[in-house]
Amino acid sequence: MEGSGGGGREMLAGLLAASHLMPVEMLPAKASACARAAGFRQVLIYLADLQRNTLRLLMGEGATDHEAEAELQVEGTVPGRAYQYGDIHPAVSAGGNVFEWWVPLLDGTERIGLLRVTADHNDADARQDLEALAALVALIIVSKRGTSDALAKLERAQPLNLAAEMQWNLLPPRTYADGRVAISASLEPAYQISGDVFEYAIDGPLVHLSIFDAMGHDTAAGLAGALALGACRNSRRQGADLIGKGEAVEAALIEQYGRQRYVTGILSTLDTRTGVLQWVNRGHHPPIIIRDNRWTIHLVCPPAHPMGTDLGLPGTVCTEQLQPGDRIVFYTDGITEARRPGGPEFGLERFADFLIRHHADGLSVPETLRRLIHAVLDYHDGHLQDDATVLLCQWLGAAMEPADEAAEVTGLSSNGPHSDSDQDGSILP
């Protein structure tokens, strides 16, 4: 059977129409039913867990394949490779003229999981239909995520503590790209967060980037971090500048805690038209810039006091001119100070070297950060004593075409180095 042609449009139209009044539990069955119009026999949906270690089957009414694996490992598996590199990969062939693929699920550039699709054809039209189906399924999942406990439970390999429950629902998506910047973040321990939070927001040509680290390792630290994030957003959306945002956070903390709790942080703004980065340091580790695959700049700016202490140290707005391709890296001390009992710290040099080496290997920013966090956890024997957070923003310089930019950030490219398509348009060998 050759490409589906109009069948692909029928598949998408049917699934889109059904999605508006469909609970997420019906998505696997409805996706499989609609996909038959494009020559696809079955669609299984796997979603990544919170730490991006496993891919877990979304169980649904009337569509569960009892022979399908309920959980797949990201490391050392074919579906894991499809997830890591953002490529369509062939699964084990079903035999004869039946083909199976692993297809990445992307929310913009945020990797949320995979589809496993069984089909009757193997050609260029099939690839287009697979990518379109995956894009629509991802949009449906994201649209229902905020109201679905089923999805929330699926992505959890263990219970969240109370602070983590709050933080994950406040934070922006961990990956974003728009042709001017590529942003990615990681936060561990994912299930036991205390006071770390990160923030980014787009305002026309401006990109606002912030990272906060609240004192303590308890629920109160989580509350202080959430308060800092809320005060920062609220003041920014009322037109506050960098100094004003820091003062707003401090005022909120003092009003609530009376100088008994504080938050350190970096507040910054990147003008994507010029590459000018401005930032204010509120008692936090200064950011670094990775340029030309070398750690060349450790940004220095006179720090003001941590927010909430009211020590009277003035804030200073510092400026750095970025070059196209520069990566600005914000982090908390849980990254660099991680250590085994009696051993040395993970350290800033090891941290920067890890980012440089894995970027040079051609990995996307999200996959690099996923592996970094795992390296930090391994270095600490799997148990962090403090939150470890990284926020990385790459300024791309001159605007790229959206499709080209997405391919660069995610690795999803039909002709990229990890693609399984060949020159005649077929997907499988």
Side-chain angles (χ1 to χ4, degrees):
M1 178 176 176
E2 293 300 321
S4 61
R9 292 188 292 274
E10 182 182 345
M11 169 186 71
L12 298 176
L15 185 55
L16 180 60
S19 70
H20 300 300
L21 298 176
M22 177 179 64
V24 74
E25 290 79 8
M26 291 299 299
L27 179 57
K30 185 58 68 173
S32 288
C34 292
R36 293 188 188 107
F40 301 143
R41 297 187 180 189
Q42 184 183 51
V43 177
L44 299 177
I45 302 170
Y46 285 86
L47 301 180
D49 76 331
L50 199 58
Q51 292 180 305
R52 307 306 195 236
N53 291 329
T54 61
L55 297 157
R56 314 181 85 189
L57 180 65
L58 175 61
M59 309 293 281
E61 299 178 13
T64 301
D65 183 339
H66 296 290
E67 296 182 358
E69 295 180 75
E71 185 172 291
L72 306 166
Q73 296 300 311
V74 170
E75 299 293 341
T77 67
V78 171
R81 183 175 176 80
Y83 177 80
Q84 291 177 65
Y85 290 101
D87 294 332
I88 296 177
H89 270 57
V92 176
S93 175
N97 293 320
V98 179
F99 309 95
E100 292 186 338
W101 299 280
W102 293 108
V103 189
L105 284 172
L106 301 173
D107 172 29
T109 53
E110 171 75 357
R111 304 171 301 170
I112 65 173
L114 294 174
L115 297 183
R116 181 167 182 161
V117 182
T118 305
D120 294 325
H121 56 284
N122 170 33
D123 52 28
D125 284 343
R127 172 178 286 276
Q128 293 178 353
D129 288 343
L130 288 170
E131 291 178 347
L133 175 62
L136 181 54
V137 170
L139 286 173
I140 293 170
I141 289 170
V142 171
S143 73
K144 298 181 182 298
R145 183 182 277 167
T147 56
S148 173
D149 274 2
L151 292 176
K153 292 174 183 177
L154 186 64
E155 73 172 5
R156 301 178 185 191
Q158 57 184 280
L160 297 179
N161 68 0
L162 183 55
E165 188 74 58
M166 293 188 300
Q167 308 304 56
W168 284 121
N169 283 284
L170 288 173
L171 297 175
R174 283 179 274 184
T175 303
Y176 171 86
D178 65 9
R180 303 168 299 175
V181 292
I183 300 170
S184 194
S186 288
L187 175 56
E188 285 286 345
Y191 297 94
Q192 300 292 322
I193 301 170
S194 49
D196 278 13
V197 290
F198 63 85
E199 164 80 326
Y200 64 83
I202 313 302
D203 184 9
L206 304 180
V207 178
H208 303 290
L209 302 154
S210 302
I211 192 167
F212 299 109
D213 184 357
M215 65 167 285
H217 308 289
D218 52 13
T219 302
L223 290 168
L227 183 60
L229 183 59
C232 177
R233 284 177 178 166
N234 182 257
S235 61
R236 184 183 72 236
R237 290 166 180 171
Q238 295 183 52
D241 58 13
L242 291 173
I243 297 292
K245 288 188 285 186
E247 290 174 347
V249 173
E250 174 150 275
L253 290 167
I254 290 174
E255 179 182 2
Q256 185 66 35
Y257 298 111
R259 301 178 182 82
Q260 298 302 305
R261 286 200 167 264
Y262 65 84
V263 175
T264 69
I266 301 287
L267 303 104
S268 70
T269 299
L270 171 64
D271 189 328
T272 61
R273 297 165 297 188
T274 62
V276 171
L277 175 72
Q278 294 187 308
W279 81 99
V280 171
N281 187 338
R282 297 301 303 257
H284 197 79
H285 295 282
I288 63 174
I289 292 179
I290 296 174
R291 177 173 295 161
D292 297 329
N293 277 338
R294 291 179 294 125
W295 174 31
T296 58
I297 300 173
H298 192 161
L299 296 181
V300 176
C301 189
H305 56 272
M307 294 164 285
T309 59
D310 196 24
L311 297 178
L313 298 176
T316 302
V317 177
C318 294
T319 302
E320 181 72 23
Q321 177 63 58
L322 302 184
Q323 297 180 12
D326 279 357
R327 284 163 280 161
I328 315 127
V329 185
F330 307 83
Y331 61 95
T332 62
D333 53 14
I335 289 286
T336 54
E337 295 177 7
R339 69 168 78 212
R340 296 186 181 96
E345 293 181 346
F346 192 81
L348 187 58
E349 184 174 351
R350 192 192 309 265
F351 168 48
D353 181 64
F354 190 100
L355 294 176
I356 292 167
R357 284 189 294 106
H358 283 72
H359 185 78
D361 289 341
L363 290 178
S364 66
V365 171
E367 180 60 20
T368 295
L369 290 191
R370 190 188 73 86
R371 296 187 186 195
L372 168 70
I373 288 295
H374 289 178
V376 172
L377 285 167
D378 290 344
Y379 195 81
H380 208 283
D381 292 332
H383 301 286
L384 293 176
Q385 301 304 310
D386 194 6
D387 289 358
T389 303
V390 183
L391 174 63
L392 188 153
C393 175
Q394 183 172 23
W395 180 52
L396 301 173
M400 301 172 64
E401 290 297 323
D404 292 339
E405 187 280 328
E408 178 172 304
V409 175
T410 65
L412 184 60
S413 173
S414 59
N415 297 307
H418 305 291
S419 173
D420 288 294
S421 63
D422 58 25
Q423 293 180 352
D424 67 5
S426 64
I427 301 175
L428 292 176

